[in-house]
Short mmCIF file of all heavy atoms in Angstrom, two decimals:
data_model
loop_
_atom_site.label_atom_id
_atom_site.label_comp_id
_atom_site.label_asym_id
_atom_site.label_seq_id
_atom_site.Cartn_x
_atom_site.Cartn_y
_atom_site.Cartn_z
N GLY A 1 116.49 104.79 116.05
CA GLY A 1 115.36 103.87 115.98
C GLY A 1 114.33 104.30 114.97
O GLY A 1 114.46 105.37 114.37
N MET A 2 113.35 103.48 114.82
CA MET A 2 112.28 103.78 113.87
C MET A 2 111.29 104.77 114.49
O MET A 2 111.06 104.76 115.68
CB MET A 2 111.52 102.50 113.49
CG MET A 2 112.41 101.39 112.96
SD MET A 2 113.29 101.80 111.46
CE MET A 2 111.95 101.68 110.26
N LEU A 3 110.71 105.60 113.63
CA LEU A 3 109.66 106.53 114.04
C LEU A 3 108.39 106.18 113.28
O LEU A 3 108.43 105.51 112.25
CB LEU A 3 110.05 107.97 113.72
CG LEU A 3 111.28 108.53 114.43
CD1 LEU A 3 111.54 109.97 113.97
CD2 LEU A 3 111.09 108.48 115.94
N VAL A 4 107.27 106.67 113.77
CA VAL A 4 106.00 106.51 113.05
C VAL A 4 105.48 107.90 112.72
O VAL A 4 105.39 108.76 113.61
CB VAL A 4 104.96 105.74 113.88
CG1 VAL A 4 103.62 105.70 113.17
CG2 VAL A 4 105.46 104.32 114.15
N GLY A 5 105.17 108.13 111.46
CA GLY A 5 104.60 109.39 111.02
C GLY A 5 103.20 109.18 110.48
O GLY A 5 102.91 108.13 109.90
N GLN A 6 102.35 110.17 110.71
CA GLN A 6 100.99 110.11 110.17
C GLN A 6 100.83 111.21 109.13
O GLN A 6 101.27 112.35 109.33
CB GLN A 6 99.97 110.28 111.28
CG GLN A 6 99.90 109.06 112.20
CD GLN A 6 98.81 109.18 113.23
OE1 GLN A 6 98.68 110.21 113.86
NE2 GLN A 6 98.05 108.12 113.39
N PHE A 7 100.15 110.84 108.05
CA PHE A 7 99.99 111.75 106.92
C PHE A 7 98.53 111.74 106.49
O PHE A 7 97.87 110.70 106.54
CB PHE A 7 100.84 111.29 105.74
CG PHE A 7 102.31 111.16 106.08
CD1 PHE A 7 102.80 110.00 106.66
CD2 PHE A 7 103.18 112.20 105.86
CE1 PHE A 7 104.14 109.89 107.00
CE2 PHE A 7 104.52 112.10 106.20
CZ PHE A 7 105.00 110.95 106.77
N THR A 8 98.04 112.91 106.08
CA THR A 8 96.76 112.92 105.38
C THR A 8 97.06 112.82 103.89
O THR A 8 97.98 113.47 103.38
CB THR A 8 95.96 114.20 105.66
OG1 THR A 8 96.75 115.33 105.32
CG2 THR A 8 95.56 114.28 107.12
N ILE A 9 96.30 111.98 103.21
CA ILE A 9 96.51 111.72 101.79
C ILE A 9 95.21 111.99 101.05
O ILE A 9 94.20 111.33 101.30
CB ILE A 9 96.96 110.26 101.58
CG1 ILE A 9 98.24 109.98 102.36
CG2 ILE A 9 97.18 110.00 100.08
CD1 ILE A 9 98.55 108.51 102.54
N GLY A 10 95.25 112.98 100.17
CA GLY A 10 94.07 113.35 99.41
C GLY A 10 94.13 112.80 98.00
O GLY A 10 95.21 112.54 97.47
N GLY A 11 92.97 112.62 97.40
CA GLY A 11 92.89 112.19 96.01
C GLY A 11 92.74 110.70 95.83
O GLY A 11 92.71 110.22 94.69
N MET A 12 92.61 109.96 96.93
CA MET A 12 92.38 108.52 96.82
C MET A 12 90.87 108.29 96.76
O MET A 12 90.14 108.71 97.65
CB MET A 12 92.94 107.77 98.04
CG MET A 12 94.43 107.90 98.22
SD MET A 12 95.04 106.85 99.56
CE MET A 12 94.14 107.53 100.95
N THR A 13 90.44 107.63 95.70
CA THR A 13 89.00 107.42 95.55
C THR A 13 88.60 105.95 95.47
O THR A 13 87.42 105.66 95.38
CB THR A 13 88.48 108.15 94.30
OG1 THR A 13 89.26 107.74 93.18
CG2 THR A 13 88.60 109.65 94.47
N CYS A 14 89.55 105.04 95.50
CA CYS A 14 89.17 103.63 95.44
C CYS A 14 90.24 102.78 96.12
O CYS A 14 91.30 103.27 96.46
CB CYS A 14 88.98 103.16 93.99
SG CYS A 14 90.53 102.97 93.11
N ALA A 15 89.93 101.48 96.27
CA ALA A 15 90.86 100.58 96.95
C ALA A 15 92.16 100.44 96.17
O ALA A 15 93.22 100.23 96.77
CB ALA A 15 90.21 99.22 97.17
N ALA A 16 92.10 100.56 94.86
CA ALA A 16 93.33 100.47 94.07
C ALA A 16 94.25 101.65 94.35
O ALA A 16 95.48 101.50 94.34
CB ALA A 16 93.00 100.37 92.59
N CYS A 17 93.66 102.82 94.59
CA CYS A 17 94.47 103.97 94.98
C CYS A 17 95.21 103.67 96.28
O CYS A 17 96.39 104.00 96.41
CB CYS A 17 93.59 105.19 95.23
SG CYS A 17 92.72 105.86 93.82
N VAL A 18 94.50 103.10 97.22
CA VAL A 18 95.10 102.78 98.52
C VAL A 18 96.25 101.81 98.33
O VAL A 18 97.34 102.01 98.88
CB VAL A 18 94.03 102.19 99.46
CG1 VAL A 18 94.68 101.68 100.74
CG2 VAL A 18 92.98 103.23 99.77
N ASN A 19 96.04 100.76 97.55
CA ASN A 19 97.10 99.78 97.29
C ASN A 19 98.29 100.45 96.62
O ASN A 19 99.44 100.12 96.92
CB ASN A 19 96.58 98.64 96.43
CG ASN A 19 95.63 97.74 97.19
OD1 ASN A 19 95.70 97.65 98.42
ND2 ASN A 19 94.74 97.08 96.47
N SER A 20 98.01 101.36 95.70
CA SER A 20 99.07 102.06 94.99
C SER A 20 99.91 102.89 95.95
O SER A 20 101.15 102.83 95.94
CB SER A 20 98.45 102.93 93.90
OG SER A 20 99.44 103.68 93.27
N VAL A 21 99.25 103.65 96.81
CA VAL A 21 99.99 104.50 97.76
C VAL A 21 100.77 103.64 98.74
O VAL A 21 101.93 103.92 99.05
CB VAL A 21 99.03 105.46 98.49
CG1 VAL A 21 99.76 106.23 99.58
CG2 VAL A 21 98.39 106.43 97.50
N GLU A 22 100.15 102.57 99.23
CA GLU A 22 100.87 101.68 100.16
C GLU A 22 102.11 101.09 99.48
O GLU A 22 103.18 101.00 100.08
CB GLU A 22 99.96 100.55 100.65
CG GLU A 22 98.95 101.02 101.70
CD GLU A 22 98.06 99.90 102.22
OE1 GLU A 22 97.97 98.85 101.54
OE2 GLU A 22 97.47 100.09 103.29
N GLY A 23 101.97 100.69 98.22
CA GLY A 23 103.11 100.12 97.51
C GLY A 23 104.23 101.12 97.33
O GLY A 23 105.41 100.79 97.50
N ILE A 24 103.86 102.36 96.99
CA ILE A 24 104.86 103.42 96.84
C ILE A 24 105.59 103.62 98.15
O ILE A 24 106.82 103.72 98.18
CB ILE A 24 104.18 104.72 96.38
CG1 ILE A 24 103.74 104.58 94.93
CG2 ILE A 24 105.07 105.93 96.59
CD1 ILE A 24 102.58 105.47 94.56
N LEU A 25 104.85 103.69 99.23
CA LEU A 25 105.47 103.94 100.53
C LEU A 25 106.38 102.79 100.93
O LEU A 25 107.51 102.99 101.38
CB LEU A 25 104.38 104.16 101.59
CG LEU A 25 103.59 105.46 101.42
CD1 LEU A 25 102.38 105.45 102.34
CD2 LEU A 25 104.46 106.67 101.71
N ARG A 26 105.91 101.55 100.75
CA ARG A 26 106.69 100.39 101.17
C ARG A 26 107.96 100.22 100.35
O ARG A 26 108.92 99.60 100.81
CB ARG A 26 105.82 99.12 101.10
CG ARG A 26 104.76 99.10 102.18
CD ARG A 26 103.74 97.99 101.97
NE ARG A 26 102.69 98.07 103.00
CZ ARG A 26 101.52 97.47 102.91
NH1 ARG A 26 101.23 96.71 101.86
NH2 ARG A 26 100.62 97.59 103.88
N ASP A 27 107.98 100.75 99.14
CA ASP A 27 109.17 100.65 98.29
C ASP A 27 110.21 101.72 98.62
O ASP A 27 111.33 101.65 98.10
CB ASP A 27 108.78 100.77 96.81
CG ASP A 27 108.16 99.49 96.27
OD1 ASP A 27 108.28 98.45 96.95
OD2 ASP A 27 107.58 99.54 95.17
N LEU A 28 109.87 102.70 99.44
CA LEU A 28 110.83 103.77 99.74
C LEU A 28 111.92 103.25 100.67
O LEU A 28 111.63 102.55 101.64
CB LEU A 28 110.11 104.94 100.42
CG LEU A 28 109.13 105.74 99.58
CD1 LEU A 28 108.39 106.75 100.45
CD2 LEU A 28 109.84 106.44 98.44
N PRO A 29 113.17 103.59 100.38
CA PRO A 29 114.25 103.23 101.30
C PRO A 29 113.97 103.82 102.68
O PRO A 29 113.57 104.98 102.79
CB PRO A 29 115.49 103.89 100.69
CG PRO A 29 115.12 104.27 99.31
CD PRO A 29 113.63 104.38 99.24
N GLY A 30 114.14 103.02 103.70
CA GLY A 30 113.96 103.50 105.07
C GLY A 30 112.56 103.30 105.61
O GLY A 30 112.33 103.53 106.79
N VAL A 31 111.61 102.89 104.76
CA VAL A 31 110.24 102.64 105.22
C VAL A 31 110.08 101.15 105.50
O VAL A 31 110.36 100.32 104.64
CB VAL A 31 109.19 103.12 104.19
CG1 VAL A 31 107.79 102.62 104.56
CG2 VAL A 31 109.21 104.64 104.09
N SER A 32 109.62 100.83 106.71
CA SER A 32 109.46 99.43 107.10
C SER A 32 108.01 98.98 107.14
O SER A 32 107.72 97.79 107.10
CB SER A 32 110.09 99.18 108.46
OG SER A 32 109.55 100.06 109.41
N ARG A 33 107.09 99.94 107.21
CA ARG A 33 105.67 99.58 107.34
C ARG A 33 104.84 100.76 106.87
O ARG A 33 105.18 101.91 107.17
CB ARG A 33 105.35 99.28 108.82
CG ARG A 33 104.01 98.66 109.08
CD ARG A 33 103.86 98.28 110.56
NE ARG A 33 103.99 99.46 111.44
CZ ARG A 33 102.97 100.28 111.70
NH1 ARG A 33 101.78 100.08 111.18
NH2 ARG A 33 103.17 101.32 112.48
N ALA A 34 103.77 100.48 106.12
CA ALA A 34 102.88 101.55 105.68
C ALA A 34 101.46 101.01 105.61
O ALA A 34 101.21 99.96 105.01
CB ALA A 34 103.31 102.09 104.32
N VAL A 35 100.55 101.72 106.24
CA VAL A 35 99.13 101.36 106.20
C VAL A 35 98.35 102.61 105.83
O VAL A 35 98.54 103.67 106.43
CB VAL A 35 98.65 100.82 107.57
CG1 VAL A 35 97.18 100.45 107.50
CG2 VAL A 35 99.48 99.61 107.98
N VAL A 36 97.49 102.49 104.85
CA VAL A 36 96.71 103.61 104.36
C VAL A 36 95.22 103.26 104.46
O VAL A 36 94.82 102.15 104.11
CB VAL A 36 97.09 103.95 102.90
CG1 VAL A 36 96.17 105.02 102.34
CG2 VAL A 36 98.55 104.39 102.82
N ALA A 37 94.43 104.22 104.96
CA ALA A 37 92.99 104.01 105.11
C ALA A 37 92.23 104.97 104.19
O ALA A 37 92.43 106.18 104.24
CB ALA A 37 92.57 104.23 106.55
N LEU A 38 91.38 104.39 103.37
CA LEU A 38 90.60 105.20 102.43
C LEU A 38 89.58 106.07 103.16
O LEU A 38 89.42 107.25 102.84
CB LEU A 38 89.91 104.27 101.43
CG LEU A 38 89.08 104.92 100.33
CD1 LEU A 38 89.93 105.82 99.45
CD2 LEU A 38 88.41 103.84 99.48
N ALA A 39 88.89 105.48 104.14
CA ALA A 39 87.77 106.18 104.79
C ALA A 39 88.21 107.45 105.51
O ALA A 39 87.48 108.44 105.53
CB ALA A 39 87.05 105.24 105.76
N THR A 40 89.41 107.41 106.09
CA THR A 40 89.89 108.55 106.87
C THR A 40 90.93 109.39 106.13
O THR A 40 91.35 110.43 106.63
CB THR A 40 90.52 108.06 108.19
OG1 THR A 40 91.58 107.14 107.87
CG2 THR A 40 89.49 107.36 109.06
N SER A 41 91.35 108.94 104.96
CA SER A 41 92.43 109.60 104.20
C SER A 41 93.72 109.71 105.02
O SER A 41 94.50 110.65 104.84
CB SER A 41 92.01 111.00 103.74
OG SER A 41 90.93 110.91 102.85
N LEU A 42 93.93 108.74 105.91
CA LEU A 42 95.12 108.77 106.75
C LEU A 42 96.09 107.66 106.37
O LEU A 42 95.67 106.54 106.04
CB LEU A 42 94.74 108.59 108.23
CG LEU A 42 94.26 109.83 108.97
CD1 LEU A 42 93.82 109.44 110.38
CD2 LEU A 42 95.34 110.89 109.03
N GLY A 43 97.36 107.99 106.43
CA GLY A 43 98.40 106.99 106.26
C GLY A 43 99.33 106.99 107.45
O GLY A 43 99.65 108.06 107.99
N GLU A 44 99.74 105.80 107.87
CA GLU A 44 100.69 105.68 108.96
C GLU A 44 101.91 104.95 108.43
O GLU A 44 101.79 103.87 107.83
CB GLU A 44 100.06 104.91 110.13
CG GLU A 44 100.86 104.98 111.40
CD GLU A 44 100.08 104.43 112.57
OE1 GLU A 44 100.15 103.22 112.81
OE2 GLU A 44 99.39 105.22 113.24
N VAL A 45 103.06 105.55 108.64
CA VAL A 45 104.29 105.04 108.04
C VAL A 45 105.36 104.91 109.12
O VAL A 45 105.65 105.87 109.84
CB VAL A 45 104.80 105.99 106.93
CG1 VAL A 45 106.07 105.46 106.29
CG2 VAL A 45 103.72 106.21 105.88
N GLU A 46 105.94 103.72 109.22
CA GLU A 46 107.09 103.51 110.11
C GLU A 46 108.34 103.67 109.27
O GLU A 46 108.48 103.03 108.23
CB GLU A 46 107.02 102.12 110.74
CG GLU A 46 108.12 101.89 111.77
CD GLU A 46 108.03 100.50 112.39
OE1 GLU A 46 107.96 99.51 111.64
OE2 GLU A 46 108.01 100.41 113.62
N TYR A 47 109.25 104.52 109.75
CA TYR A 47 110.42 104.85 108.92
C TYR A 47 111.65 105.09 109.80
O TYR A 47 111.52 105.40 111.00
CB TYR A 47 110.12 106.07 108.05
CG TYR A 47 109.94 107.35 108.83
CD1 TYR A 47 110.97 108.28 108.92
CD2 TYR A 47 108.74 107.62 109.49
CE1 TYR A 47 110.82 109.45 109.66
CE2 TYR A 47 108.58 108.79 110.22
CZ TYR A 47 109.61 109.70 110.29
OH TYR A 47 109.47 110.85 111.04
N ASP A 48 112.79 104.98 109.16
CA ASP A 48 114.08 105.24 109.82
C ASP A 48 114.49 106.67 109.48
O ASP A 48 114.81 106.97 108.31
CB ASP A 48 115.13 104.25 109.31
CG ASP A 48 116.48 104.43 109.98
OD1 ASP A 48 116.70 105.48 110.63
OD2 ASP A 48 117.32 103.53 109.83
N PRO A 49 114.49 107.58 110.45
CA PRO A 49 114.79 108.99 110.15
C PRO A 49 116.25 109.22 109.73
O PRO A 49 116.56 110.30 109.23
CB PRO A 49 114.48 109.69 111.49
CG PRO A 49 114.64 108.63 112.52
CD PRO A 49 114.22 107.34 111.87
N MET A 50 117.10 108.20 109.90
CA MET A 50 118.47 108.33 109.39
C MET A 50 118.52 108.10 107.88
O MET A 50 119.51 108.39 107.22
CB MET A 50 119.40 107.31 110.08
CG MET A 50 119.50 107.49 111.58
SD MET A 50 120.29 109.03 112.06
CE MET A 50 121.99 108.60 111.67
N VAL A 51 117.44 107.54 107.32
CA VAL A 51 117.42 107.17 105.89
C VAL A 51 116.47 108.07 105.10
O VAL A 51 116.75 108.44 103.96
CB VAL A 51 117.01 105.68 105.73
CG1 VAL A 51 116.90 105.30 104.27
CG2 VAL A 51 118.00 104.78 106.46
N ILE A 52 115.33 108.40 105.70
CA ILE A 52 114.30 109.16 104.97
C ILE A 52 113.61 110.12 105.94
O ILE A 52 113.46 109.79 107.13
CB ILE A 52 113.30 108.19 104.29
CG1 ILE A 52 112.40 108.93 103.30
CG2 ILE A 52 112.47 107.42 105.33
CD1 ILE A 52 111.62 107.99 102.38
N SER A 53 113.22 111.28 105.42
CA SER A 53 112.55 112.29 106.26
C SER A 53 111.05 112.27 105.99
O SER A 53 110.58 111.74 104.99
CB SER A 53 113.11 113.68 105.95
OG SER A 53 112.69 114.10 104.66
N LYS A 54 110.32 112.91 106.88
CA LYS A 54 108.87 113.06 106.67
C LYS A 54 108.59 113.81 105.37
O LYS A 54 107.66 113.48 104.65
CB LYS A 54 108.25 113.81 107.84
CG LYS A 54 108.06 112.98 109.10
CD LYS A 54 107.40 113.84 110.18
CE LYS A 54 107.21 113.05 111.47
NZ LYS A 54 106.66 113.91 112.53
N ASP A 55 109.40 114.84 105.11
CA ASP A 55 109.20 115.61 103.87
C ASP A 55 109.44 114.74 102.64
O ASP A 55 108.74 114.87 101.62
CB ASP A 55 110.13 116.82 103.84
CG ASP A 55 109.63 117.97 104.72
OD1 ASP A 55 108.44 117.93 105.12
OD2 ASP A 55 110.42 118.89 104.98
N ASP A 56 110.44 113.85 102.71
CA ASP A 56 110.68 112.92 101.59
C ASP A 56 109.45 112.04 101.35
O ASP A 56 109.10 111.75 100.20
CB ASP A 56 111.87 112.01 101.89
CG ASP A 56 113.21 112.74 101.91
OD1 ASP A 56 113.35 113.78 101.24
OD2 ASP A 56 114.12 112.23 102.61
N ILE A 57 108.83 111.61 102.43
CA ILE A 57 107.65 110.74 102.32
C ILE A 57 106.49 111.51 101.69
O ILE A 57 105.81 111.03 100.78
CB ILE A 57 107.28 110.16 103.69
CG1 ILE A 57 108.40 109.21 104.17
CG2 ILE A 57 105.94 109.43 103.64
CD1 ILE A 57 108.28 108.77 105.62
N VAL A 58 106.28 112.75 102.16
CA VAL A 58 105.24 113.60 101.56
C VAL A 58 105.52 113.79 100.07
O VAL A 58 104.61 113.65 99.23
CB VAL A 58 105.18 114.97 102.28
CG1 VAL A 58 104.37 115.98 101.47
CG2 VAL A 58 104.59 114.81 103.68
N ASN A 59 106.76 114.08 99.71
CA ASN A 59 107.09 114.32 98.31
C ASN A 59 106.86 113.07 97.45
O ASN A 59 106.39 113.18 96.31
CB ASN A 59 108.54 114.79 98.18
CG ASN A 59 108.73 116.21 98.68
OD1 ASN A 59 107.79 117.00 98.68
ND2 ASN A 59 109.94 116.53 99.11
N ALA A 60 107.15 111.89 97.99
CA ALA A 60 106.93 110.66 97.23
C ALA A 60 105.46 110.43 96.96
O ALA A 60 105.08 109.99 95.86
CB ALA A 60 107.53 109.47 98.00
N ILE A 61 104.62 110.74 97.92
CA ILE A 61 103.17 110.59 97.72
C ILE A 61 102.69 111.58 96.66
O ILE A 61 101.90 111.23 95.77
CB ILE A 61 102.41 110.79 99.05
CG1 ILE A 61 102.81 109.72 100.07
CG2 ILE A 61 100.90 110.79 98.82
CD1 ILE A 61 102.36 110.02 101.50
N GLU A 62 103.18 112.81 96.74
CA GLU A 62 102.75 113.83 95.78
C GLU A 62 103.28 113.53 94.38
O GLU A 62 102.57 113.78 93.39
CB GLU A 62 103.18 115.21 96.27
CG GLU A 62 102.45 115.56 97.57
CD GLU A 62 102.50 117.01 97.93
OE1 GLU A 62 103.48 117.69 97.57
OE2 GLU A 62 101.55 117.47 98.60
N ASP A 63 104.48 112.98 94.28
CA ASP A 63 105.02 112.60 92.97
C ASP A 63 104.14 111.55 92.30
O ASP A 63 104.13 111.44 91.07
CB ASP A 63 106.45 112.06 93.12
CG ASP A 63 107.47 113.16 93.38
OD1 ASP A 63 107.11 114.35 93.27
OD2 ASP A 63 108.62 112.82 93.70
N ALA A 64 103.43 110.76 93.10
CA ALA A 64 102.54 109.74 92.56
C ALA A 64 101.17 110.31 92.18
O ALA A 64 100.29 109.57 91.72
CB ALA A 64 102.37 108.60 93.57
N GLY A 65 100.97 111.61 92.38
CA GLY A 65 99.75 112.25 91.93
C GLY A 65 98.69 112.44 92.99
O GLY A 65 97.56 112.81 92.68
N PHE A 66 99.05 112.21 94.24
CA PHE A 66 98.11 112.44 95.34
C PHE A 66 98.56 113.67 96.11
O PHE A 66 99.67 114.17 95.93
CB PHE A 66 98.07 111.21 96.26
CG PHE A 66 97.62 109.96 95.54
CD1 PHE A 66 98.56 109.11 94.95
CD2 PHE A 66 96.28 109.66 95.42
CE1 PHE A 66 98.15 107.96 94.27
CE2 PHE A 66 95.86 108.52 94.74
CZ PHE A 66 96.80 107.67 94.17
N GLU A 67 97.68 114.16 96.97
CA GLU A 67 98.08 115.26 97.85
C GLU A 67 98.44 114.67 99.21
O GLU A 67 97.77 113.76 99.68
CB GLU A 67 96.94 116.27 98.02
CG GLU A 67 96.51 116.95 96.73
CD GLU A 67 95.30 116.29 96.11
OE1 GLU A 67 94.31 116.11 96.83
OE2 GLU A 67 95.37 115.93 94.92
N ALA A 68 99.46 115.21 99.82
CA ALA A 68 99.87 114.69 101.12
C ALA A 68 100.29 115.82 102.03
O ALA A 68 100.84 116.83 101.58
CB ALA A 68 101.04 113.71 100.96
N SER A 69 99.99 115.66 103.32
CA SER A 69 100.51 116.59 104.31
C SER A 69 100.73 115.86 105.62
O SER A 69 100.14 114.80 105.87
CB SER A 69 99.56 117.78 104.50
OG SER A 69 98.28 117.34 104.86
N LEU A 70 101.60 116.43 106.42
CA LEU A 70 101.91 115.85 107.72
C LEU A 70 100.78 116.09 108.69
O LEU A 70 100.18 117.16 108.71
CB LEU A 70 103.17 116.52 108.29
CG LEU A 70 104.50 116.03 107.75
CD1 LEU A 70 105.59 116.99 108.17
CD2 LEU A 70 104.76 114.65 108.30
N VAL A 71 100.47 115.09 109.51
CA VAL A 71 99.57 115.29 110.65
C VAL A 71 100.45 115.69 111.83
O VAL A 71 101.40 115.00 112.16
CB VAL A 71 98.80 114.01 110.98
CG1 VAL A 71 97.95 114.20 112.23
CG2 VAL A 71 97.94 113.59 109.81
N GLN A 72 100.14 116.82 112.44
CA GLN A 72 101.01 117.31 113.53
C GLN A 72 100.68 116.62 114.84
O GLN A 72 99.63 116.08 115.03
CB GLN A 72 100.85 118.83 113.67
CG GLN A 72 101.41 119.55 112.47
CD GLN A 72 102.85 119.17 112.13
OE1 GLN A 72 103.68 119.02 113.03
NE2 GLN A 72 103.13 118.98 110.86
MO1 9UX B 1 90.56 103.41 90.37
MO2 9UX B 1 91.81 104.98 92.29
O1 9UX B 1 90.82 103.73 88.55
O2 9UX B 1 92.50 106.42 91.40
S1 9UX B 1 92.81 103.50 91.05
S2 9UX B 1 89.87 105.45 91.33
#
């Protein structure tokens, strides 16, 4: 089944950054839903763990030039 992961995302300074990160996340294979909040620097991602891992999601955010880490 699908899981939900929460990530802290650093380096977002405007609404366009948020849209960019959400678009990157939604384009990833295995991701069905992504919501990113600028005020809290938090992202919530629904994903299929058979297709993509939390580490893959972190790496995709970082490849786009932001900082990302898992919320435990
Ligand atoms: Mo606007 Mo966000 O140029 O990096 S997209 S600050």
Side-chain angles (χ1 to χ4, degrees):
M2 305 298 285
L3 297 179
V4 175
Q6 289 184 314
F7 303 85
T8 56
I9 302 164
M12 299 186 299
T13 53
C14 74
C17 295
V18 172
N19 289 335
S20 176
V21 173
E22 284 181 342
I24 289 155
L25 291 169
R26 289 170 184 163
D27 283 346
L28 292 173
V31 170
S32 56
R33 190 174 60 84
V35 180
V36 174
L38 182 61
T40 57
S41 297
L42 278 175
E44 192 170 88
V45 181
E46 185 179 51
Y47 67 101
D48 182 345
M50 299 294 285
V51 177
I52 192 167
S53 71
K54 283 181 181 176
D55 282 346
D56 291 333
I57 294 169
V58 166
N59 288 334
I61 297 167
E62 295 196 331
D63 285 350
F66 300 92
E67 298 97 51
S69 57
L70 280 167
V71 176
Q72 293 307 319

